[in-house]
Amino acid sequence: VSRESDDSLTAVVVAAGSGQRFGGDKLFAQLSGSPVLAWSLDELARCPSVRSIVLVLSEENARRGQALVRRLGLERVVTTCLGGPRRQDSVMHGVQAVEGARWVAIHDAARPFVTVDLLERGAQVAREIGAAIAAVPVKDTIKLVPVPPLVESTLPRAHLWAAQTPQIFQWEQLSQATLTLGGRDVTDEAELLERVGLPVAVYPGSYENLKITTPDDLALARAIARQRRRKSVAS
Ligand code: CTP
Ligand code: MG
């Protein structure tokens, strides 16, 4: 397959988790009348830079996920594949499914409030630096506690950013870093590039671009969803 010469990207939306901390299928929980998963798919499909989307599903939610894609009328933009045991396995399944793409944007389906503006700003930074991840400055003071309950030290907050998605990479660099590092556990794909010494930039995400992890996140997400729906009706 030949590399795309243009700057368009393929989004890989990972939705193959089991929602253990949430206690159930968080991606089909309702937010203002649409499932969590629908919010990011809809928004990413609207991005001028996004030419296609690979939705990574689990054995358990594959049929439901595919039905949602049809219901949203996105079957020409979205293809699906099956994930793996760890998030990073699901990401790699999606990335392998888009061999031939030059740029990939990895996104957690559990972050419903990604916006066109956020993705496009990230794509711009990635084109300049090589790879770019959404992140926000940490608001809390972070303590290093290797052996609880004793605090070892306080990390310098001015240097700390909390990573989000989208995370945008060159397909080639991400695949190469993954191969080089084998199956090493990482919590995001940027860490793979960092470890092989490739540059990764942060770009401003947003505090609203939250990840639904536990049930209390859903209450906050519902408030944000209501506000967004009101705004889109008003405009
Ligand atoms: N994910 C995935 N494949 C996995 C694990 C996670 O595609 N094997 C996806 C989730 O569906 C989610 C995103 O990665 O969209 C972020 O993961 P997380 O918030 O941890 O979701 P879960 O793994 O489902 O939740 P938990 O860790 O509580 O089980
Ligand atoms: Mg998880």
Side-chain angles (χ1 to χ4, degrees), residues 12-211:
V12 173
V13 176
V14 284
S18 52
Q20 260 168 28
R21 285 169 291 177
F22 187 81
D25 197 346
K26 60 188 185 180
L27 303 181
F28 286 91
Q30 294 290 315
L31 287 181
S32 281
S34 303
V36 169
L37 175 57
W39 284 74
S40 59
L41 287 180
D42 245 345
E43 195 72 11
L44 292 171
R46 276 181 230 282
C47 293
S49 292
V50 173
R51 73 152 48 179
S52 61
I53 300 173
V54 178
L55 172 60
V56 185
L57 296 165
S58 63
E59 304 265 7
E60 288 71 31
N61 68 13
R63 290 173 67 91
R64 231 176 154 189
Q66 285 159 354
L68 176 66
V69 169
R70 286 192 296 275
R71 189 144 49 80
L72 296 172
L74 292 177
E75 58 273 68
R76 291 181 55 199
V77 187
V78 180
T79 56
T80 61
C81 74
L82 283 181
R86 299 170 302 173
R87 179 184 174 281
Q88 71 195 86
D89 302 314
S90 296
V91 168
M92 284 327 294
H93 289 194
V95 168
Q96 276 153 15
V98 297
E99 188 162 6
R102 179 154 175 249
W103 292 98
V104 288
I106 313 299
H107 184 67
D108 289 333
R111 293 188 191 273
F113 302 123
V114 61
T115 63
V116 171
D117 174 67
L118 188 59
L119 183 285
E120 295 296 335
R121 281 191 288 110
Q124 194 53 46
V125 175
R127 286 168 195 139
E128 286 159 26
I129 308 277
I133 66 173
V136 287
V138 166
K139 292 182 191 173
D140 296 318
T141 295
I142 308 285
K143 301 289 182 185
L144 206 57
V145 189
V147 187
L150 272 189
V151 173
E152 182 178 288
S153 61
T154 302
L155 298 176
R157 191 170 58 195
H159 295 176
L160 297 175
W161 292 64
Q164 304 182 333
T165 66
Q167 303 202 342
I168 302 171
F169 307 101
Q170 296 169 44
W171 188 92
E172 200 66 54
Q173 287 193 348
L174 182 55
S175 304
Q176 196 52 53
T178 305
L179 273 180
T180 305
L181 294 168
R184 178 194 283 275
D185 280 346
V186 290
T187 52
D188 71 1
E189 282 52 57
E191 189 179 344
L192 294 169
L193 271 75
E194 295 156 27
R195 284 181 180 275
V196 300
L198 289 166
V200 176
V202 292
Y203 66 94
S206 82
Y207 291 103
E208 283 198 353
N209 182 31
L210 55 87
K211 182 161 75 69

